[in-house]
Amino acid sequence: MWEKRPILLLILATAAIMVGTTVTMIVPFMSVNTDADKIASVMPYTPLQQQGRDLYIREGCNNCHTQTVRPLVSEVLRYGEYSKSGEFVYDRPFLWGSKRTGPDLARLGGKYPDAWHYKHMDSPRSMIPRSNMPDYAWYRENPLDPKMIQRKMEVLDFPYTAGQISALADKNEMDAIVAYLQKLGSDIPWRKAAETTIVGEISNPFAGATHAKMEAWEIIYENNCAACHGKHREGDIGPELVGSNYEDEELFRIIFNGIPDGGMPAFNSLGSDKVWQVVTFLKYYDEEEGHKQ
Amino acid sequence: MDLAATLYLGVTFGLFVIFVGIVMRTYSRKNRDKNETAKYRMLDDD
Amino acid sequence: MEKPQYNTEIVKSFVHWSVLWGLVAVLVGVIVSIQMTNPEMNFPPYLTFGRLRPIHTNAGIYGWGVGVIFATFFYIVQRLCKVRLWSDKLARFQLWFFNATISAAALTLLLGFTTSKEYHEMEWPIDLMIVILWVSFAINIIMTIIKRKEEQMYISLWYMMAAIVGVAILFLVNSAAVPVSLFKSYSAFAGTNDANVQWWFGHNAVAMVLTAPPLAMFYYFLPKSTGVPIYSHKISIISFWSLIFMYLWTGAHHLLWTPVPDWIQTLAMAFSVMLIAPSWGSVINGYLSMKGEWHQMRENYLVKFLILGITFYGLQTLQGPMQAIRSFSAFIHFTDWVPAHIHMGTMGWVSMVCFASIYFLVPRIYGKELYSIPLANLHFWLTLSGQLIWSISLWVAGVLQAGMWNAMNSDGSLTYTFMETMVEMYPYWWARTTGGAVFTLGVLVFIYNLFKTVRSGEKTAPLTASSEGRA
């Protein structure tokens, strides 16, 4: 039979291939991206954001960065709320990626202020010394093509205004990529929901620590804070920290939960011990410098 | 058992029957030797 | 029966070009691996990791892998059918169109024209070229099989035909897109649907390009190299139907724990485990074919490549299902473990079989003895050690990184920041570059040996016994 008839074998092979294809590839179209998946607050990309997304694709950022947070403890702690199907309905193509050479970006939007992204895209190693991400400072020299972007919006059937298109004329590729990164995962109000409520009285367990402790705690500062507040707390993207005069408890709250609207990320994933150590470190030098004056 | 579950079971059983059918046909007394001729013929000099 | 005049010129040409693209793939591979340890080795806009990595994967899969598939299938199909290729002209067209397509793919990827879909990065005009290429290949192979002079079809032909229809279906569906301009298009599917279609494609490209065709080569070149038939044609038949049936269910094991519906993930997980059976059907068939012939592992360099190749296929098809289990995937996915897995398949299984196939057919189509068997043995050891250094270093790296990602303090906070885990990878990435360089050295030895064979190898009598590969 099919041992001798190639056409029959081709037909049977196609049939065998189509069974699994039908069940796992075709049938899901009936339930995925339907009304059941929809999230009302998820909006299509603006012209600038969509162009940023296309640049992300052009540069192959997805070769090193994923965009999907799995519902696993360590992952939700590190990146934020796990990803929902309805958050991706405007993504053509999807950009979930398959390898995290760099961190996941699904919840990046709103984590840092724009200035952080500009500086980081210019030169990642100026902020994160041992990063292996290439520099993208050259983005600043490339203007955008409003006509082309308008055509993209038409093809995607996304809403836009004439004002949004004309505003593109004096933007460059760097503006676009930053606008895109700031949109990622921010359409659902997860940051507010993930905020930790600090209950009861809190007090610094490391209060009164001596100089000998400070070196180890300075490393925590350098790894997590120095990129924005400067190596010597002189301030850069974030404010100067010398002479800030916060109480221990106040400082702890700011670092632990961040300032969601002020561009200060939450550092609760460090755990309360490390946050207290940073608080103690900051206070120690604040007071020391106060003595010098 | 609802309709969907019956359908799943039916399809699974049907696929299994097809598999058993292929094995039985391949190893049947009638085909057993015929199905091995190709491996000797392919060794002919070319 | 009168001996047919086979078309060997087209086989020669495809061997030349596929080897050239193979060299490009490994060289770019070494470059991108250095870029991971030394970011200053990125030269924007064109020569950055993000743009070069797809060139490495596509040159490897389509230039080298598919190039060798074209070469060997044209060689095999004529001999198994005992007729000349259906159309020489179509095959010649296919050769030039193949090179035009791969060149256009490399150029456009450098320019940043990409869909971002893994192993399908090329934009729509290149997709159209690939369709033309595949159709002309399919017509030539199928027509040759139809007009064959041999009644029964040997198992290699079955795998060829399944690959031909499989690739066609996968490629057409995953290509669906709406063009905006000549080099920009948007996927016809959105979000979760797009992800599901992409990995249905992605995983089955592994089935239809990197499994079925190398199995066709293995089933042909192993008996031809040892001089004894395969253990059981019947086992190969059962494995064939099970393999092509089960593979298509498994794509979503690339998407475990993502928003893709749970039932698709569960099916993918179950079928991935079941897939061990047909995969090992081929492995065991290969091993049993060596009964009484194991001494050839010492004497015959072709057998070394082929048996090590099928061994890595066996390991690959055990490791793969393990990774497809939810709990293990939760731990290991997104780390460097995964590229190590892929490279055991590509460097260990696919390339080993491709090397053996080319070593087998080059002396025959040129009528020359292989220039140097010691060099072929050297190539074998460089391939094996290069791949093992590559894979083992990144398996260790993957486990280390996964452990650090998941490490938690007693108060429920994370022990390490992302950067603290990433900087631990540098030594392992250096080891990987070393492994890649060793493998590349092997490829250079391979090319030198082939070049000398064609140029100055001793002429053999046109009709030689099938035991020619023996030392």
Side-chain angles (χ1 to χ4, degrees), chain C residues 272-454:
Chain C
S272 300
V273 174
M274 295 199 295
L275 207 45
I276 295 173
S279 306
W280 271 78
S282 295
V283 176
I284 288 169
N285 213 352
Y287 284 157
L288 291 178
S289 307
M290 292 296 290
K291 208 157 74 180
E293 300 293 329
W294 284 104
H295 59 90
Q296 291 202 39
M297 276 295 276
R298 268 197 315 274
E299 301 153 1
N300 187 338
Y301 67 96
L302 294 171
V303 174
K304 279 183 213 168
F305 275 105
L306 289 165
I307 292 298
L308 256 293
I310 202 75
T311 301
F312 282 120
Y313 176 62
L315 293 174
Q316 187 75 356
T317 51
L318 287 178
Q319 192 181 48
M322 183 170 91
Q323 293 161 208
I325 307 258
R326 265 203 191 88
S327 51
F328 193 61
S329 171
F331 183 68
I332 214 71
H333 197 42
F334 301 133
T335 70
D336 276 293
W337 172 287
V338 180
H341 171 69
I342 297 158
H343 281 79
M344 173 163 69
T346 52
M347 296 160 106
W349 153 237
V350 180
S351 290
M352 283 263 197
V353 172
C354 289
F355 291 143
S357 306
I358 292 174
Y359 275 130
F360 180 89
L361 58 81
V362 161
R364 281 166 181 75
I365 53 182
Y366 280 96
K368 305 256 184 95
E369 295 282 3
L370 188 74
Y371 170 69
S372 166
I373 288 175
L375 279 183
N377 276 309
L378 175 67
H379 173 211
F380 169 79
W381 288 108
L382 289 172
T383 303
L384 180 64
S385 51
Q387 181 249 315
L388 288 176
I389 296 169
W390 207 115
S391 294
I392 292 172
S393 54
L394 285 204
W395 283 324
V396 176
V399 172
L400 174 68
Q401 194 173 27
M404 290 180 84
W405 282 353
N406 286 292
M408 294 196 356
N409 302 322
S410 52
D411 65 353
S413 59
L414 296 169
T415 310
Y416 302 101
T417 63
F418 186 86
M419 276 311 291
E420 283 170 331
T421 71
M422 201 213 90
V423 296
E424 293 297 321
M425 297 294 107
Y426 281 121
Y428 301 94
W429 286 343
W430 271 112
R432 180 254 304 275
T433 302
T434 311
V438 171
F439 188 90
T440 304
L441 191 63
V443 172
L444 292 173
V445 171
F446 173 60
I447 292 173
Y448 175 76
N449 206 354
L450 294 181
F451 182 77
K452 294 295 271 185
T453 303
V454 173

Side-chain angles (χ1 to χ4, degrees), chain B:
Chain B
M1 221 162 47
D2 61 4
L3 183 72
T6 319
L7 201 69
Y8 291 151
L9 267 180
V11 170
T12 306
F13 185 72
L15 289 170
F16 184 71
V17 168
I18 292 175
F19 176 72
V20 172
I22 292 174
V23 174
M24 281 174 57
R25 186 180 173 278
T26 308
Y27 281 86
S28 70
R29 214 170 282 280
K30 195 170 121 242
N31 292 327
R32 196 181 291 169
D33 297 328
K34 228 166 52 189
N35 275 332
E36 293 295 336
T37 53
K39 78 177 187 194
Y40 299 109
R41 305 246 339 147
M42 65 83 68
L43 279 175
D44 289 355
D45 269 349
D46 40 45

